């Protein structure tokens, strides 16, 4: 069974989907720890309820980002984790961290990458007059939201939509596709080779599995 570590900063609904997918054996993995950089992240409560160990790494306790990522990396290495899942971890990881665990870090980002990297993607999509938005699961490299795309889900944007309307539609999709990608990874079907994503040995397109 593969060992998974999950990094969060907030509410943890994606974390909850992973917990449930492991509990019901859709994902053949064990969540070894949930790591947060925010003391008040509700995801920490979700982990505790599921009897998963938690760890808090706060930036204020480290002289710089590199020292913090080194500490998190050492903690993860001690657990011998096979996979690091970023689930709403809202701090940019250093290149030292992403290179240390290259090919083993997944992220979900609420846009149809390469569109709208960074923050406030819903607002960015509305302001750009988009008629669709979505979410992307990708491998993590040293470029923010720049790693190989694995799977995307699209949702429509309707004329009178608020940010919350779109966010809710996207979140519903995230809770479906992220556990599926983690399942692919733990079943050894998904690999990153030379910065590209492969599923069952087939190179995925720049937009991921379709
Ligand atoms: C998710 O929608 C995820 O796509 C986003 O944070 C949310 C976390 O929600 N991630 C990013 O914006 C990363 N750039 P959750 O805590 O309820 O899972």
């Amino acid at each position: 069974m593969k060992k998974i570590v999950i990094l969060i900063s907030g509410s943890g609904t994606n974390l909850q989907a992973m917990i449930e997918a492991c509990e019901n054996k859709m994902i053949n993995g064990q969540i070894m720890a949930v790591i947060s950089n925010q003391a008040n992240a509700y995801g920490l409560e979700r982990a505790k309820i599921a009897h998963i160990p938690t760890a808090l790494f706060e930036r204020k306790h480290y002289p710089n980002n590199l020292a913090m990522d080194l500490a998190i990396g050492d903690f993860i290495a001690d657990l011998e984790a096979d996979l690091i899942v970023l689930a709403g971890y809202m701090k940019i990881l250093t290149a030292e961290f992403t290179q240390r665990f290259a090919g083993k870090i997944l992220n979900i980002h609420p846009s149809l990458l390469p569109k709208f990297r960074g923050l406030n993607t819903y607002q960015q999509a509305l302001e750009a007059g988009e008629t669709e938005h979505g979410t992307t699961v990708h491998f993590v490299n040293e470029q923010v939201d720049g790693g190989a795309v694995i799977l995307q889900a699209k949702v429509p944007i309707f004329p009178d939509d608020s940010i919350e309307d779109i966010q809710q539609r996207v979140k519903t999709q995230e809770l479906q596709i992220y556990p599926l990608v983690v399942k692919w990874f733990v079943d050894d079907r998904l690999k990153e080779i030379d910065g590209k994503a492969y599923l069952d040995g087939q190179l995925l397109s720049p937009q991921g599995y379709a």
Side-chain angles (χ1 to χ4, degrees), residues 26-117:
M26 176 206 171
I27 294 173
N28 184 26
Q30 184 181 356
I31 304 173
M32 306 299 292
V34 171
I35 294 172
S36 176
N37 67 330
Q38 298 293 338
N40 61 356
Y42 182 67
L44 289 170
E45 299 305 315
R46 297 180 189 272
K48 284 173 193 156
I49 291 166
H51 307 291
I52 297 168
T54 60
L56 179 63
F57 291 84
E58 292 179 289
R59 176 65 180 78
K60 64 185 178 191
H61 296 311
Y62 299 90
N64 51 45
N65 290 327
L66 186 56
M68 175 164 165
D69 281 3
L70 196 62
I72 296 175
D74 288 347
F75 179 83
I76 291 172
D78 281 349
L79 293 172
E80 300 182 333
D82 301 293
L83 173 63
I84 300 166
V85 173
L86 308 184
Y89 185 67
M90 300 306 286
K91 185 172 187 310
I92 294 170
L93 290 162
T94 55
E96 286 78 4
F97 184 96
T98 60
Q99 284 158 13
R100 181 176 182 180
F101 298 104
K104 290 183 172 186
I105 315 173
L106 298 174
N107 183 42
I108 191 158
H109 177 76
S111 81
L112 296 170
L113 289 173
K115 278 188 180 171
F116 310 130
R117 294 181 182 188

Side-chain angles (χ1 to χ4, degrees), residues 10-15 87-88 90 107-110 122 135 145 171 174:
S11 74
T13 57
N14 280 283
L15 164 67
M90 300 306 286
N107 183 42
I108 191 158
H109 177 76
Y122 303 101
T135 186
D145 303 324
K171 184 58 79 64
E174 292 194 328

Side-chain angles (χ1 to χ4, degrees), residues 190-207:
L190 181 65
K191 308 267 179 226
E192 187 195 37
I193 303 167
D194 294 335
K196 296 191 169 75
Y198 291 80
L199 181 65
D200 298 330
Q202 300 285 314
L203 176 64
L204 297 178
S205 78
Q207 286 76 38

Side-chain angles (χ1 to χ4, degrees), residues 1-2 7-8 21 33 39 42 58-60 64 83 91 100 103 124 141-142 145 157 160 164-165 171 177 186 196 209:
M1 194 186 281
K2 291 281 197 300
L7 273 65
I8 61 162
Y42 182 67
E58 292 179 289
R59 176 65 180 78
K60 64 185 178 191
N64 51 45
L83 173 63
K91 185 172 187 310
R100 181 176 182 180
Q124 289 189 59
N141 64 14
E142 59 280 357
D145 303 324
I157 297 179
D160 294 331
E164 289 70 30
D165 292 329
K171 184 58 79 64
I177 69 168
V186 302
K196 296 191 169 75
Y209 181 81

Side-chain angles (χ1 to χ4, degrees), residues 174-199:
E174 292 194 328
L175 303 183
Q176 299 292 321
I177 69 168
Y178 208 7
L180 177 62
V181 172
V182 169
K183 175 181 168 54
W184 288 344
F185 189 96
V186 302
D187 289 345
D188 282 328
R189 296 178 57 193
L190 181 65
K191 308 267 179 226
E192 187 195 37
I193 303 167
D194 294 335
K196 296 191 169 75
Y198 291 80
L199 181 65

